[in-house]
Amino acid sequence: MNIKLNSGNHPEIKDLLEISNGIPLIRLLEVIGDHKFRYQQSMLRFVKVQNMNMCLEFIRSRQVTLTNIGAEDIVDGNLKLILGLIWTLILRFTIADINQEGRSAKEGLLLWCQRKTAGYQEVRVRDFTTSWTDGLAFCALIHRHRPDLLDYHALDKSWESRHYNTQLAFDIAAEHLNIPKLLDVEDVCDVSKPDERSVMTYVAQYFHAFSELGKADTARRRVAKFAEVMESIWTMQSDYERRVQALMLAIENRKKAWITSTFRGDYADAKRQSTEFVNYKTSLKRTWVAEKRAVSALLGNIQTKLRTYDLKPYHPPPGLTLQDLDDFWKDLLDAEEQRYRKINEQIRMIKDFLRKSFASQANAFQAELNAISNELTALDGDLHHQLDYVRVLNSRLGPLADTLELIQQLEDQCIEANIEENDETIYSADDLSFDFGLLEQAIHKKSAFISNQIVSSSMTNLTPAQLEEFESTFRHFDGNQTNMLTAIEFKAALASLGIEYDDAEFEGVFVKCSQGEMDVSFEQFIHFMVGVTEDRASGDQVRESFHIIAGDKPFVTELDLKQACFPPAVVSYLQSSMPHHTQDGYDYIAYLDSVFN
């Protein structure tokens, strides 16, 4: 009773009879009943009875049955009834509120003790008397709830240690759990059957102490849970704000990149930027769409969690609301549309430029081909003048070749740009290349023809029929139209004219005719054929020719041979073949008589 009075800052009583005036009982009920009484302090009996009746009426209002206890009995100091009243109060306000699985008061407290000491082999709580005499039940309750205060397993569990174990439990309970020592060790260990009510009252202190610990744990868990929830919500809010800021920054950077981007002016660059835009739409843009929906869902989850825990709703900072994000998104869509149109406009402009550039070059190229072809066809007059003009026309082909290469590059660019039609021209690079090749061949043939005509016109010792025959033969066997005959072509041409040599003999003839070169030119071929034709002259013709070279002398000198412009090899051959004349010379008459019939 004094413990409860102390908790309410009321003075203690030294004897239970002191409650007979009603004041200590009123103070006790104010503490344990959480009620404020209006009473008088007086030594008059009727006042004491009035105060006591007020106390008894309050006790009965708490569904406590008082049997054969009247106010006058307490005022008159009936100790037995006073003890009964005190026990009734203890039972009601200390033990009665104990509830375990539907059992209350004594049965509930006993069940609680049994459950808390289950698993401790030396402890068997069956009642509130003999089950506590060895002190182990008290120690088990402490160890179960505060193992840091007592090492139950290290205790000596023998009967002789019952005083030590009990005293240990009482001391620890008083020092660490604020449970007063309502019992003495002897009241428990040295009697055959401890007082049940006293043990119940003391054990009930354990129940309330540990219940308070449980409440503290519950409060701690609740606060921890609250802090965990708040931290989780704060983390979600921070994550929302961070992600919205990051998304907005990424959108802004993308828009700036589009605004500052420039075009190089060629299709490859425009197509690259178009491809990059398509890749953006199918990759980065889709991650942004997913992120936008994710942060929207995150904000919804935050608000739901706040409502779940009855917390105030979250309002994102200005500039980071979903409406702000939607505004950013709308600006992004507008920027995308502008970017798409700008790229397409650039591609259309480049394609149109490529069409016109190709057509302009192609048409001008074809016109120049036609002009050169017409000038080539119209050639007439002096052969040497014609040859000079053909060379001028041929010099105009060099720049055209460069232009043709440019036209091919333009066509390649058109193909790369997927330009399949061009109303500005009917020509393709292949058409122009074909026509250019024909013109090259025509100029080459014309040049060769005129050169051959000049050579032919100088051959006065050939009849027109012979010249035509030799010329047509040369053209026939000049397969690649280079105005040159290879060794094989030369041999075939000679064979077609009825002139044949064996391989060994032909090799010397070819070297002599080509003057050591790889091919035989038209001029060399005609000179060879003139020589062959002249070589076939009659003996009389040869004698006449030697006679002319000798200056009508009967012999010919080395000087005569050289003045005739014979090749050195011919001069050397004749000198070695002709016999010497009596005078300083060679006897060509004797030599010819020896070789002709």
Side-chain angles (χ1 to χ4, degrees):
M1 182 174 177
N2 283 334
I3 294 172
K4 296 297 183 181
L5 291 173
N6 285 334
S7 65
N9 296 319
H10 298 299
E12 296 182 354
I13 63 173
K14 295 183 171 54
D15 192 326
L16 285 177
L17 292 177
E18 292 182 23
I19 73 171
S20 60
N21 66 5
I23 301 303
L25 185 59
I26 288 174
R27 291 171 177 169
L28 176 64
L29 290 175
E30 285 183 338
V31 173
I32 64 177
D34 193 24
H35 183 75
K36 192 66 177 176
F37 291 91
R38 299 179 64 181
Y39 59 91
Q40 299 180 34
Q41 294 192 29
S42 175
M43 297 302 294
L44 297 175
R45 176 180 173 80
F46 81 91
V47 175
K48 293 180 181 180
V49 172
Q50 182 180 355
N51 288 339
M52 190 57 65
N53 276 324
M54 184 171 54
C55 291
L56 296 179
E57 187 62 32
F58 174 76
I59 294 171
R60 290 188 185 96
S61 70
R62 294 299 181 91
Q63 288 79 45
V64 177
T65 302
L66 298 175
T67 305
N68 298 324
I69 298 178
E72 292 80 1
D73 298 325
I74 304 301
V75 173
D76 292 338
N78 189 326
L79 186 58
K80 182 178 180 180
L81 291 180
I82 290 174
L83 289 173
L85 178 61
I86 297 301
W87 169 249
T88 299
L89 292 178
I90 292 173
L91 186 64
R92 169 62 184 85
F93 291 101
T94 304
I95 301 176
D97 58 349
I98 297 174
N99 190 300
Q100 290 289 306
E101 298 185 4
R103 301 180 185 182
S104 60
K106 177 182 176 179
E107 291 184 355
L109 182 61
L110 181 62
L111 180 60
W112 178 80
C113 293
Q114 290 172 343
R115 291 196 176 279
K116 296 301 180 180
T117 58
Y120 295 86
Q121 295 182 359
E122 298 82 0
V123 179
R124 296 288 186 274
V125 178
R126 295 180 294 276
D127 50 41
F128 291 105
T129 55
T130 58
S131 298
W132 304 83
T133 55
D134 58 4
L136 292 178
F138 296 112
C139 291
L141 286 176
I142 294 173
H143 182 264
R144 178 61 178 268
H145 293 91
R146 291 290 303 276
D148 58 308
L149 299 179
L150 184 150
D151 186 358
Y152 178 86
H153 302 292
L155 295 176
D156 183 357
K157 315 261 188 333
S158 65
W159 178 253
E160 289 76 12
S161 298
R162 66 187 185 280
H163 292 87
Y164 173 81
N165 293 336
T166 303
Q167 187 65 55
L168 178 65
F170 287 178
D171 291 343
I172 292 175
E175 182 179 355
H176 297 284
L177 303 175
N178 295 322
I179 297 176
K181 295 180 180 180
L182 301 180
L183 299 174
D184 292 329
V185 174
E186 294 77 10
D187 295 335
V188 179
C189 299
D190 293 341
V191 295
S192 59
K193 186 177 181 182
D195 181 69
E196 182 181 51
R197 292 183 178 182
S198 298
V199 174
M200 281 181 62
T201 301
Y202 183 63
V203 172
Q205 302 303 311
Y206 280 73
F207 174 85
H208 290 298
F210 292 133
S211 294
E212 289 300 319
L213 287 178
K215 291 178 181 178
D217 287 341
T218 300
R220 178 184 57 77
R221 288 193 299 272
R222 285 176 180 171
V223 172
K225 178 65 175 178
F226 172 76
E228 180 182 341
V229 169
M230 292 304 294
E231 182 181 14
S232 172
I233 293 174
W234 179 85
T235 300
M236 294 172 69
Q237 292 172 351
S238 299
D239 187 42
Y240 166 82
E241 294 173 10
R242 176 186 60 80
R243 292 168 69 177
V244 170
Q245 285 178 332
L247 183 55
M248 287 180 171
L249 179 61
I251 292 173
E252 188 64 25
N253 289 339
R254 174 59 60 172
K255 288 163 54 182
K256 288 181 180 179
W258 286 341
I259 292 173
T260 58
S261 68
T262 58
F263 292 95
R264 202 167 58 200
D266 57 274
Y267 179 79
D269 175 67
K271 186 61 178 179
R272 176 186 59 80
Q273 297 197 41
S274 175
T275 302
E276 289 177 355
F277 183 76
V278 173
N279 291 339
Y280 151 78
K281 294 272 288 183
T282 57
S283 56
L284 182 59
K285 171 69 177 299
R286 293 181 180 179
T287 64
W288 289 354
V289 171
E291 180 66 359
K292 182 175 182 292
R293 292 178 179 173
V295 295
S296 178
L298 176 59
L299 181 60
N301 293 340
I302 292 172
Q303 305 296 22
T304 299
K305 198 165 189 176
L306 290 171
R307 286 193 296 270
T308 300
Y309 292 96
D310 198 25
L311 299 171
K312 293 181 179 180
Y314 166 65
H315 299 289
L320 297 179
T321 66
L322 289 183
Q323 183 59 52
D324 295 325
L325 183 57
D326 286 339
D327 293 341
F328 257 76
W329 197 259
K330 183 178 181 299
D331 291 342
L332 173 65
L333 297 180
D334 292 341
E336 283 181 357
E337 183 178 358
Q338 294 176 11
R339 176 65 175 169
Y340 184 69
R341 289 179 177 176
K342 190 174 181 180
I343 291 174
N344 288 341
E345 180 183 359
Q346 182 71 13
I347 290 176
R348 285 192 297 269
M349 183 178 68
I350 291 174
K351 284 187 174 183
D352 187 59
F353 173 78
L354 287 175
R355 287 191 186 94
K356 292 182 177 179
S357 297
F358 177 82
S360 175
Q361 292 289 342
N363 292 338
F365 185 87
Q366 185 63 48
E368 180 65 7
L369 289 183
N370 294 340
I372 294 175
S373 179
N374 292 335
E375 292 178 39
L376 185 65
T377 302
L379 281 178
D380 196 9
D382 181 72
L383 290 176
H384 291 283
H385 290 168
Q386 289 188 43
L387 183 60
D388 291 340
Y389 198 81
V390 169
R391 289 170 181 165
V392 172
L393 295 179
N394 188 64
S395 67
R396 289 161 63 181
L397 294 182
L400 282 180
D402 295 336
T403 303
L404 183 61
E405 183 177 349
L406 173 62
I407 292 172
Q408 184 63 59
Q409 293 175 358
L410 289 172
E411 184 173 82
D412 292 341
Q413 293 178 28
C414 289
I415 293 173
E416 181 185 10
N418 298 316
I419 300 175
E420 297 179 354
E421 72 289 331
N422 192 343
D423 295 336
E424 304 290 334
T425 184
I426 61 172
Y427 304 111
S428 67
D430 186 63
D431 295 336
L432 300 176
S433 178
F434 178 77
D435 285 351
F436 180 77
L438 292 179
L439 182 58
E440 276 187 316
Q441 293 178 12
I443 290 177
H444 185 75
K445 288 181 179 180
K446 190 68 172 179
S447 176
F449 176 78
I450 295 174
S451 297
N452 293 346
Q453 290 301 309
I454 292 174
V455 171
S456 299
S457 65
S458 66
M459 298 301 170
T460 57
N461 49 352
L462 291 178
T463 66
Q466 287 177 317
L467 191 60
E468 176 61 27
E469 179 183 14
F470 298 157
E471 185 178 352
S472 62
T473 300
F474 184 89
R475 286 199 305 271
H476 176 78
F477 287 97
D478 182 15
N480 54 5
Q481 299 180 353
T482 60
N483 208 37
M484 303 288 285
L485 296 180
T486 64
I488 296 176
E489 291 172 341
F490 179 60
K491 188 175 183 180
L494 294 181
S496 70
L497 294 172
I499 304 171
E500 296 186 5
Y501 300 96
D502 57 32
D503 292 340
E505 188 178 15
F506 174 77
E507 184 176 353
V509 170
F510 181 78
V511 171
K512 180 179 179 182
C513 180
S514 65
Q515 298 181 357
E517 299 295 332
M518 299 297 296
D519 299 312
V520 172
S521 68
F522 177 77
E523 185 176 359
Q524 290 171 334
F525 178 75
I526 295 298
H527 279 295
F528 177 81
M529 293 308 300
V530 169
V532 170
T533 303
E534 290 180 344
D535 288 345
R536 289 184 179 182
S538 64
D540 292 338
Q541 290 177 324
V542 174
R543 287 186 176 90
E544 179 63 24
S545 297
F546 264 97
H547 185 71
I548 293 173
I549 291 173
D552 297 333
K553 299 190 301 288
F555 61 91
V556 62
T557 65
E558 181 178 357
L559 180 61
D560 293 333
L561 294 176
K562 291 180 177 181
Q563 288 178 345
C565 298
F566 288 131
V570 173
V571 173
S572 177
Y573 172 77
L574 291 176
Q575 285 178 323
S576 63
S577 300
M578 292 185 294
H580 286 279
H581 194 269
T582 56
Q583 297 186 20
D584 188 14
Y586 299 95
D587 190 350
Y588 67 85
I589 297 175
Y591 169 68
L592 294 177
D593 288 342
S594 66
V595 297
F596 282 108
N597 292 323

